[in-house]
Amino acid sequence: MKIQVLGPLGAEVNGGSIVPTAGKPRQILSLLALHPGRVMPVSVLMEEIWGTEPPQSALTTLQTYILQLRRRLGTAMGPDAPEVAKDVLATRHGGYLLQIPAESVDVHEYERMVAEGRSAFEAGDDDSSASLFRKALGLWRGSVLVDVRVGPILEIEVMRLEESRLGTLERRIDADLRLGRHSELIAELIELTARYPQHEGLHSQAMVALYRSGRQASALDIYRKLRIRLIEELGVEPSPQVQRLHQAMLAVDPQLDVAAGPRRSSTFDLYAA
Amino acid sequence: MTTVYPSHGGRAAFRRKKVVQVSDERVRRSSRTIDVAAPAGVVYGLIADAERWPLYLPLNVYVERLDFDGVRERLRMWVIAEGQVTSWMSDRVQDPARRRVSFRQDLIVESTRSPAGTWTVRELGPDRCRLTMDYEFTVVDARPEDVRWLERATAVNARSNLRSLRFLAERWPRLDELILSFEESVRVKGPPELCYGFLYDVGDWPEQVPHVRRVGLAEPQAGVQRAVMDLAAADGTTQTVDSVRVCFPHAGRIVHKETAVRKLVAAHCGEWSVVPDETGVTVVSQHHVALCEEDIEPVLGAGATLEDARARVRAEIGRQSMETLRLARKHAESAVRVL
């Protein structure tokens, strides 16, 4: 079985899609798939579907959805020899769990590659690190569960994963910058700073990429626009790290030209105190 | 009794033509037609009702409807083709206004592409219609034996399906009385795995289940069992029943289709399911049976009615199921739990 949540919900068994069409069973499958092998309490599932005010029939309805899913998944998994049932969707004291290996879900693969990418970064292997992060991001086919109605529980998961995606993207760019790929990154960073106009990490990266490509004026312009935006919209100055990066550019600090210094920090923290 | 529905040989009912196009990819087409003495709507209804096909069509073992929006549906089918249980997905589009059902199957044989076809029912009069099944697939570098296999299987199954549909449709005024569906269930306070295990281990039934005298079991593919069982009827006689059982341990289900049936029965299929919940397990035995009218008087005596046959079959299968269910419960509840 292969389940995909990094994008539209996908669930494939033996080459055939088994994603339910109805909204609530899709929510249940998504939530269970995000925690393979772990019991999801009935109360959590009910909160996800009905919020804080479940109808009287909620428990029965939930059981019906679970039975439908179990039948659907279990039947799609096809005939199998073992003498005992090994329920793919099992009932366990007060909850339900999807008994599939974690590797069946794309999030697991994504998180594994991100962790490996981080270790490579710490170990100074910028090349592997950049490529692992790139592969991890390549698993995404759109926004998390873009075609699933999300309730309060899934919403937290969606936020967590979208944050993780952005963080991984930033780390990948850090590794690329250390590899001296500054000019190749400019177009991507211009787009990213437009999409995340208050994201200081991405702005620091855009500044560094432009600066190292011999475009100091554009680098300073990025800072100027970020500062105006932060002051006008939030009433705050950019963080000290970005301010110091700006100072260093004004002072033409030679350290700025060292692509991969011994300090293994993010671009944002290049001038951390 | 090996054929489920009597075949109506002798009538030159099949017209078959095959066109072979020559190019790198060869399209194989076949078309079969049969005339039916029943209203077109009845025949269309039988084709549209794919979930019932295991009861209607002798070579159809099990159909699971994965999606259906009223027009488009996605089916997973298990079918006996050339003596083997084969499975595929079928995407169908129903068009009741034109009495057409078109379908597209996923790969059945490697190196063949886009197997697809159409069922069409054309009205010839108030109680007469013509049923046509068109089928085609494209061959791309397929091994000749695979192509022959597919052509042979398609031909045999299409012929069998058309005959069975005609047989059923021509009995349409009595179809509701000829078909019966029922279920038995028990509540078990024991592990679902043991309930399932008991139902799966059909080879052990002769020692455990009194009405089962003998079982010949083969499992040609993992989880696909072919069982020949000698069953003791209430009157002390023995009947032999052959069945195909497809086991889904991940869903706690075993579906079965009888390929050689007991007396009074024209077709029989069903399912064992183990359904756990918060407080225990419900084990269900479900049956769908089509009665064989021609058997009624020879078996039950002159003057016996369809109603008598229904009652007899319902009671006998029900009794046997209940006996097996109770033993499954005993097996699960009396097991010494280690750990």
Side-chain angles (χ1 to χ4, degrees):
Chain A
M1 168 147 31
K2 277 244 136 307
I3 297 188
Q4 297 168 309
V5 296
L6 304 176
L9 174 63
E12 231 177 59
V13 178
N14 297 325
S17 166
I18 47 101
V19 177
T21 34
K24 287 174 180 135
R26 290 168 83 92
Q27 264 174 292
I28 295 172
L29 178 61
S30 304
L31 195 49
L32 292 168
L34 283 166
H35 308 276
R38 270 166 43 201
V39 177
M40 190 53 55
V42 167
S43 57
V44 174
L45 285 161
M46 300 223 310
E47 191 187 340
E48 166 62 22
I49 298 173
W50 292 287
T52 46
E53 284 177 15
Q56 261 198 330
S57 59
L59 190 59
T60 324
T61 312
L62 177 66
Q63 280 169 349
T64 310
Y65 290 145
I66 293 281
L67 281 178
Q68 283 169 0
L69 267 179
R70 171 179 182 261
R71 188 185 154 102
R72 196 179 176 87
L73 297 178
T75 307
M77 289 176 85
D80 205 346
E83 312 203 346
V84 293
K86 37 177 188 183
D87 256 332
V88 61
L89 178 45
T91 309
R92 290 279 185 285
H93 21 264
Y96 301 100
L97 81 156
L98 198 55
Q99 303 202 93
I100 55 170
E103 301 83 63
S104 311
V105 187
D106 61 353
V107 173
H108 180 269
E109 181 72 354
Y110 163 77
E111 284 175 340
R112 185 185 60 78
M113 285 199 275
V114 169
E116 281 178 18
R118 243 187 264 183
S119 310
F121 190 80
E122 299 302 329
D125 185 352
D126 295 319
D127 231 336
S128 309
S129 160
S131 115
L132 281 161
F133 286 144
R134 190 166 275 114
K135 271 195 219 154
L137 292 164
L139 292 174
W140 288 67
R141 298 159 302 118
S143 304
V144 184
L145 296 174
V146 65
D147 56 355
V148 175
R149 194 190 81 123
V150 295
I153 313 290
L154 272 179
E155 199 182 338
I156 298 167
E157 300 283 352
V158 168
M159 271 160 50
R160 171 181 78 82
L161 286 165
E162 289 293 350
E163 274 305 318
S164 164
R165 181 191 196 181
L166 191 55
T168 302
L169 184 60
E170 196 185 337
R171 278 193 216 104
R172 196 217 83 216
I173 295 172
D174 283 335
D176 279 341
L177 280 173
R178 291 180 66 89
L179 290 163
R181 294 173 178 158
H182 32 265
S183 51
E184 292 142 71
L185 293 171
I186 291 173
E188 186 183 6
L189 281 165
I190 296 296
E191 191 207 320
L192 284 169
T193 48
R195 253 171 63 199
Y196 302 97
Q198 296 174 354
H199 195 295
E200 293 182 77
L202 292 172
H203 281 76
S204 315
Q205 292 177 326
M207 287 164 70
V208 169
L210 286 163
Y211 182 91
R212 286 188 188 153
S213 307
R215 295 173 59 185
Q216 284 96 330
S218 304
L220 296 173
D221 194 43
I222 294 259
Y223 178 79
R224 194 177 55 81
K225 285 183 179 150
L226 171 70
R227 180 166 179 268
I228 292 171
R229 206 175 294 126
L230 290 178
I231 290 171
E232 281 179 357
E233 288 169 18
L234 304 172
V236 295
E237 286 284 340
S239 59
Q241 288 98 314
V242 188
Q243 287 188 39
R244 277 195 292 270
L245 177 66
H246 179 237
Q247 293 296 326
M249 283 184 179
L250 292 174
V252 199
D253 184 347
Q255 205 198 312
L256 272 174
D257 291 315
V258 181
R263 212 172 131 202
R264 313 219 50 85
S265 73
S266 65
T267 308
F268 177 67
D269 281 331
L270 216 51
Y271 286 89
Chain B
M1 276 196 289
T2 47
T3 45
V4 176
Y5 292 107
S7 64
H8 289 226
R11 275 162 66 172
F14 296 99
R15 283 184 290 279
R16 179 163 189 246
K17 56 179 190 274
K18 192 167 77 182
V19 182
V20 178
Q21 281 190 350
V22 183
S23 70
D24 284 354
E25 296 180 347
R26 285 159 300 155
V27 181
R28 304 292 177 101
R29 290 198 181 89
S30 64
S31 179
R32 283 188 173 70
T33 298
I34 194 168
D35 285 352
V36 184
V42 168
V43 177
Y44 178 81
L46 294 174
I47 293 162
D49 194 8
E51 282 179 304
R52 284 281 211 172
W53 279 10
L55 188 63
Y56 297 162
L57 307 178
L59 298 172
N60 201 297
V61 173
Y62 180 62
V63 175
E64 175 92 0
R65 186 183 259 165
L66 292 170
D67 282 306
F68 184 44
D69 65 4
V71 176
R72 279 160 206 287
E73 62 185 334
R74 192 164 171 73
L75 308 168
R76 174 115 197 215
M77 294 195 179
W78 277 265
V79 173
I80 301 171
E82 291 284 281
Q84 286 168 20
V85 178
T86 324
S87 162
W88 60 73
M89 294 281 224
S90 185
D91 287 305
R92 304 206 315 173
V93 179
Q94 300 192 5
D95 183 350
R98 293 164 68 199
R99 295 203 188 91
R100 273 164 62 101
V101 175
S102 53
F103 59 93
R104 186 161 286 281
Q105 294 160 316
D106 66 2
L107 272 187
I108 296 179
V109 167
E110 269 184 56
S111 309
T112 61
R113 273 216 299 261
S114 36
T118 314
W119 296 92
T120 316
V121 187
R122 196 148 64 85
E123 191 163 27
L124 299 176
D127 284 317
R128 254 166 53 76
C129 63
R130 181 163 292 164
L131 168 60
T132 305
M133 190 219 179
D134 296 305
Y135 188 76
E136 68 171 55
F137 62 92
T138 306
V139 180
V140 191
D141 294 331
R143 296 186 309 165
E145 57 264 43
D146 289 343
V147 176
R148 276 199 298 276
W149 183 92
L150 186 55
E151 283 190 318
R152 217 162 43 226
T154 309
V156 169
N157 287 40
R159 211 153 35 226
S160 161
N161 290 345
L162 288 176
R163 274 203 193 112
S164 308
L165 289 168
R166 179 178 65 188
F167 179 82
L168 283 165
E170 292 183 348
R171 274 147 193 78
W172 70 275
R174 296 186 304 289
L175 217 48
D176 285 347
E177 292 126 88
L178 282 170
I179 288 175
L180 63 154
S181 291
F182 56 92
E183 64 176 51
E184 305 284 354
S185 67
V186 290
R187 220 21 219 170
V188 180
K189 295 215 175 302
E193 293 80 10
L194 292 176
C195 299
Y196 181 87
F198 185 87
L199 298 171
Y200 172 83
D201 285 328
V202 68
D204 295 345
W205 284 7
E207 293 99 73
Q208 291 163 318
V209 184
H211 76 263
V212 180
R213 295 207 170 131
R214 186 187 66 88
V215 173
L217 180 67
E219 193 157 334
Q221 296 141 264
V224 177
Q225 301 174 328
R226 306 198 80 146
V228 183
M229 290 193 234
D230 286 346
L231 305 177
D235 60 9
T237 59
T238 299
Q239 296 206 46
T240 305
V241 171
D242 290 5
S243 59
V244 174
R245 295 167 32 112
V246 186
C247 310
F248 300 99
H250 303 278
R253 312 170 59 209
I254 296 173
V255 298
H256 55 88
K257 157 79 176 220
E258 275 59 1
T259 49
V261 288
R262 62 185 77 214
K263 281 182 213 147
L264 293 173
V265 170
H268 179 190
C269 57
E271 171 176 345
W272 299 97
S273 47
V274 178
V275 187
D277 58 44
E278 306 283 284
T279 58
V281 180
T282 305
V283 187
V284 186
S285 168
Q286 219 175 59
H287 296 276
H288 305 288
V289 176
L291 296 169
C292 177
E293 281 180 294
E294 290 72 11
D295 272 2
I296 297 176
E297 290 207 337
V299 175
L300 298 179
T305 63
L306 191 51
E307 200 45 52
D308 298 331
R310 281 176 75 90
R312 167 73 81 93
V313 169
R314 169 72 182 85
E316 186 174 280
I317 297 177
R319 177 182 60 79
Q320 292 174 343
S321 291
M322 210 52 208
E323 187 176 275
T324 309
L325 287 172
R326 287 204 187 98
L327 290 162
R329 173 170 65 196
K330 198 173 141 205
H331 176 78
E333 290 183 349
S334 63
V336 180
R337 298 185 71 176
V338 191
L339 286 177

